[in-house]
Every structure is written in C-alpha cells, then in structure tokens.
Amino acid sequence: MSLVLASERVLVEGELRPAVLRLDGDRIDQVWWGTSDPAAVLKPADDVFGEVLGAVPEPPPEVVELGDKVVLPGVVDTHVHVNEPGRTAWEGFASATRAAALGGVTTIVDMPLNSLPPTTNVAALEAKRAAAEAVRDRGELHCDVGFWGGAVPGNVEDLEPLWDAGVFGFKCFLADSGVPEFPPLGPDELVAAMDRITRFGGLLIVHAEDPAALAAAPQRPGRAYADFLASRPHDAETAAIAGLLDAVRETGTRTHVLHLSSARALDLLQEAKDEGLPVTVETCHHYLVLDAEHVPDGDAAFKCCPPIRDRGNQDALWEGLRAGIIDCVVSDHSPATAEEKSGGRPPGEADLQSAWGGISGLQAGFLALADAARKRGVPLTDVARWTSANTAALVGLDRGPRRKGVIAEGAAADLVVYDPEATTTFRAAEMAHKNKISAYDGLTVQGAVVPLVELVETRVSTSAGSRGTLLRRPA
C-alpha cells in the first residue's frame, strides 16, 4: 500500500509550497504542488479491469494530512563517528542510527576512525560492513549508512581498491588524530595520496590543523576552557588550510575541508573558490549554536577539536555560510564513554587537555541549527540546503535512482516532518546515543521532529522502527 502525505509546506524546487506526495516504498512516486488537498489530486480507484481480469484491486493509499507542519528532505549527515566494530562502548550502529532518526537524519556516512580496525583497506571496510549488516539484520538500523575510507601513511596502494569497493572518499589528518592506529599524513605523504586519488577521480576530506602551530601553542592542563581554547589557536587552522590549498593547486584533487571552526580561514577559502579550485567546506552545528563565552569550565561534553570559539567568530561563520564559502553543516558526532570524557573526575572537574574531544550531536544538531537560523532570520530552506542537498551532492547521492537531498518524483522517500511551532528540550539522559553525554543537555529550542509512528515502515524519519540500508558510492 502506498502512502500519501499532504502539507501546506513541502520543500519543492527550493521553496516551501502546498503539496501532496505519494510514496511508493522507498521512493517518491508522485508530487503534486500547489495544493495540500489530497482529494483534489487523488482519483477514486477504478476496479473495473480488476473485476474483468480477476485481479485484486490495489488498495487505496493511506493519507496523512500534516497541516502546517513542514516536510523536508531527510538530513544527510556526512560526518559521523559510529566506532563499530572495536570501540562499541563509545557508540554503535544501532544507537547512532536511532539518534539520527530521532533528529531528522535519514542518511549518515561513517568516518574511518575510531573503529577498530580503521577503514584503511578493503578487509577493514568489509569488517565494518559486516558489523552494520548484523545490526540491520536484527532490525536495529534506523537510517541509511555509507562509509568513508582513510588515507594514512603507507596505504596509498589501498586507496583505489577502497574506492572500487564503494567508499565515498578518503579522510586524512594533518595533525595527531587522537588514536594511534590512524596517524596523520606529512606534507609529502599528503601530496602522494592526493596524486593517487586524482588519478581515479576520488575525493579527499581533511582534518586541517597544523601540527607546528599546535606544538607552539600553550598546553596548560586543567579545567579552564579558556586554556583549552588557547591550545587550539586560529592559526592552526589557517596554516593547515593554506598548505592544503597549495597541495590542491599542485594536484587538482577534489578536496573537502572538514569541521571548519576558525572564521579566519574564510578569506583563504573564498580565494580558492574564486580560482576555481575543486574545494568544498563544512562547519558543524555546535560551532553555529554554541559559543566559548557560555562553555562551562571543566565540562568535557563541550570539548572538540578544532574547538568551539567565541561569538564573534560564530557570527562570521554564519556569514560564510550565507555567502556560499561554507557549503555544508554536519554533526561530527563523536561520542565516548564517561571515563574517556572526564577521566573519572567529578562533573565540572575534567582536565580539558586530556579529555576525549568530541560532541554528540546526531539527535540535536538539525533542530538546534534550525532554531539558531530562525533567530538570525535565516530561512529553513537554507538550513535544508546546507544539511541535506549539499551534503548529498558532496558524496554523489544527489544523482541516480533514489537520489537524496531533494523532494521530487523518483527521489528517495527520505523525509523529515518538522513542526516549527513546537518546542524541544534536550536531556542527555533521554537521548538515544550510547553514552548519555551531550553539550546540548538542557537546551530548549523551537521546533521538533514529529514522531509519526504510523509512518515507520515508510522512508520518513520517525521515532521508532528499522528501515536502514547500507550504501555504496554511486558509480
């Protein structure tokens, strides 16, 4: 049986319009825009031929009228650390994808670290796929999942086989990753990896912080957030990005800058785009919603690298988004256990230099971003472009059958129903990711993902149900 959704506000062709959608399994079969009245577009079933031929007539579709609630393409979050297999005490496919679905995310692309083994060769990719398949077979994979490969010293020969096996691209670090099994690339290793990736038309995604700038910064242990912030200075990002852009000029490699935190790099990136370099850029929900002035000392839930910076920097990042210098907004969901985050210290007493860096944002990020955008007068259509259309395009999921990031006939029925008039208060203890730690704990935002359990078996992001598939890069 097909499903029909009707709403006064459906994102079609870049605008929120009255529309009626007919969903057939995992794809959008028909789109009627200009009306939200299903009766105006749905014809009564004609069963004459069924009677003549003895066929069973198709049952009428289930119709769900959503009123003023907004229907958007499901969020495509291309920066998620699931950590399975290997560090499943930190996170796993079942808990991460459930958090994703509760937050309006219908597709994630999993990073090649902090799982064990890291996804730096085909055997490791197959181990990760097997872990995800086991979760899917238990009925606990709640959104679609794709995979990044990794570029580390010594695995240049593994890159093309990984690409052929379906990864969406390759992540590398320019400074210490935090885990020994995923070391950074030096300058010559970076160019060698980029040369190889260019040969087969791949994509390199880069954690861009400069090791020399980090080594020169003060490293004061303790609970003071200001001290931690000083240890990850702006010039660590600007120096790394400047060097990376030089390597792009040399190799022509399609390159994506991960989790931009420092707005001081925006001019460099604008110049690169003006040159026509094949460079895209992302930032994260937490850089756009949270600011250093309100980060409490000793609370490792807020620690990430690069760090949450001051409000003026945040304002500039929003300007970079609206100007098109920054293309995408993602979660960089990177949870860990309470022991890794706090080192066994009491709440508010964590040593921020030694605590694990990572924000758990899959469930909260889209709603928090949409609320912050509303307060700044930024339309929801922009939010959807940054979190869905542009992220889908980054990894090629905007083309082919069941394309993502758009509401159109033939596209994937990956949808989120969003109520902009409701409110949501995030409680870490009630969130679906495995370790109940979150920088969004206690935050109240305007807007909610609507938990329509009657839509669970469709491709609509809901509060329950398993519907995920494993993705390979489109050819």
Side-chain angles (χ1 to χ4, degrees), residues 7 39 73 94 124 138 151 174 225 235 266 292 301 328 353 365 367 370 372 425 469:
S7 169
R138 296 198 305 266
L174 304 185
Y225 186 76
D235 62 351
L266 289 172
C328 310
Q353 287 296 342
L367 289 176
T425 299
T469 60

Side-chain angles (χ1 to χ4, degrees), residues 174-176 209-220 227-237 239-240 353:
L174 304 185
D176 181 40
E209 287 184 285
D210 181 72
L214 293 175
Q219 305 288 324
R220 302 184 190 94
D227 288 343
F228 168 67
L229 187 57
S231 74
R232 315 294 295 207
H234 288 275
D235 62 351
E237 290 189 76
Q353 287 296 342

Side-chain angles (χ1 to χ4, degrees), residues 456-474:
V456 166
E457 296 306 318
T458 76
R459 304 295 297 180
V460 177
S461 177
T462 65
S463 64
S466 180
R467 56 169 200 76
T469 60
L470 301 185
L471 304 173
R472 294 174 183 260
R473 174 185 50 80

